[in-house]
Amino acid sequence: MGRPRGFDSDEALDRAMEVFWRHGYEGATIPNLTRAMGINRPSLYAAFGNKEELFRKALDRYAAGPTAFAREALAEPTARRVAESLLRGAVRMAADGRNPRGCLLVHGALACGEQAEPVRRELAVRREAGVSAIRERFERAVRENDLPAGTDCAGLARYVATVIYGLAVQAASGATGDELRRAAELAMRVWPG
Amino acid sequence: MGRPRGFDSDEALDRAMEVFWRHGYEGATIPNLTRAMGINRPSLYAAFGNKEELFRKALDRYAAGPTAFAREALAEPTARRVAESLLRGAVRMAADGRNPRGCLLVHGALACGEQAEPVRRELAVRREAGVSAIRERFERAVRENDLPAGTDCAGLARYVATVIYGLAVQAASGATGDELRRAAELAMRVWPG
DNA sequence: AAGGTTGTGTACCGGAGAGTACAATACCGT
DNA sequence: ACGGTATTGTACTCTCCGGTACACAACCTT
């Protein structure tokens, strides 16, 4: 009961995600957010708590939306195809004109003031979780004799993540989709075998 | 004539550089800066103009100091050694405990609010200048028959820069020096020949 | 139709940020 | 020693940020 909400919560969250993506956590102001979300201040606080909670919810939405390709990529049958899918997906997302350039996990708060420190740490944790997921997938590949025994799975996962996040930085510098694609293609030449 | 300055300008700039490096342009506050520089507000403005000018001067100092290795790397005799030196230098800098983690050109302002937009653009320009310098070095290598004719120098340069900046992100996530080193070593396996 | 409940709009608060006025201070040249 | 000059320290301004109080509006239940 009570007055019903005048906006769709998920749509508003998508808009918020985009603002954070484009301006980073600190660079995104509440007026920025409310304008993009089409709601006013008290509605934002009532629906999402505060700026930091809103950001975390936007992160979850980011994981479920623009970076859903990563989960699919990890399900590919071979390690090589996992890596290819990850890089291809990263390039496609970075080059997609509908999104802000780059990756929210990188642009959100690489460096920040004291206040945003919890957010920075959260992003670091999420990035590291990605590296771990890739490493575990490669370890499975070793067990399946898809990758040679003795492969440095941690190193390989770190390398793949390095290229992915590096591509996000390049996208932020204004590199074209084609340039990113060529760099990603080169990156795959590392592949053993 | 007049009262002499009570601090060394270059030393103060080094401290400012470190603060910007650690907290980014927006995250670094004037009180942060003055405290680290050991001077007070009006001295900062008198000596360096304003926050943005101070940042640009810190960038110049960054180019001359912590990233001086890049210039030396470009002077290596072969393209392969150029790439190796660049990656090795990037890892060494990122892992050096005396510095903040990562790279000022990346951490300074990947994404930001409206006010800092000129700074973000400046950083993007400087990063792209680095890519161009690497590309030109590789093009020279092709002319010298050091790299095979028809080599995609732009792609190769983009790739090397991608790895370097990706390493900066990894460092910000807390990756150890050893992890970075292994990733960089893998990255060199791309090398033709 | 009336009351309770929840969202909305305006207008506000405390605090922190960048930048500056002004008086006091320390040095130089004479 | 003394006056001119540039730096320093304190205290201030102005703006904008995140967050909230409070009155009003819209809906559901009975």
Side-chain angles (χ1 to χ4, degrees), chain B residues 21 62 65-74 76 80-104 134 160-161 163-168 171 177 180-185 187-188:
Chain B
W21 196 343
Y62 183 69
T67 56
F69 73 86
R71 227 178 305 278
E72 296 164 24
L74 288 171
E76 291 277 1
R80 176 181 197 109
R81 291 193 51 185
V82 167
E84 278 174 351
S85 292
L86 283 173
L87 292 177
R88 211 186 306 276
V91 168
R92 189 169 339 116
M93 191 185 77
D96 187 338
R98 291 170 303 181
N99 300 328
R101 295 297 183 81
C103 167
L104 178 55
I134 300 174
V160 171
V163 174
I164 290 175
Y165 294 135
L167 288 171
L180 299 180
R181 198 181 44 69
R182 278 148 65 200
E185 213 159 285
M188 278 306 296

Side-chain angles (χ1 to χ4, degrees), chain B residues 7-18 36-38 48 61:
Chain B
F7 61 96
D8 181 76
S9 187
D10 283 343
E11 257 183 46
L13 212 42
D14 278 334
R15 303 289 168 81
M17 176 185 76
E18 197 179 311
M37 297 165 86
F48 303 105
R61 192 116 181 112

Side-chain angles (χ1 to χ4, degrees), chain A residues 15 19 29-40 44:
Chain A
R15 303 289 168 80
V19 172
T29 69
I30 300 289
N32 279 160
L33 290 162
T34 54
R35 209 176 311 130
M37 298 165 87
I39 66 181
N40 52 28
L44 187 156

Side-chain angles (χ1 to χ4, degrees), chain B residues 1-7 40-43 46 115:
Chain B
M1 40 158 107
R3 178 174 177 172
R5 200 164 265 169
F7 61 96
N40 51 27
R41 235 195 251 275
S43 297
Q115 296 218 347

Side-chain angles (χ1 to χ4, degrees), chain A residues 1-7 40-43:
Chain A
M1 44 161 102
R3 177 173 176 173
R5 202 164 262 167
F7 61 96
N40 52 28
R41 234 191 252 268
S43 297

Side-chain angles (χ1 to χ4, degrees), chain A residues 94-116:
Chain A
D96 187 337
R98 290 169 304 181
N99 301 328
R101 292 299 183 82
C103 167
L104 178 55
L105 294 185
V106 178
H107 287 56
L110 248 202
C112 62
E114 286 290 319
Q115 296 218 348

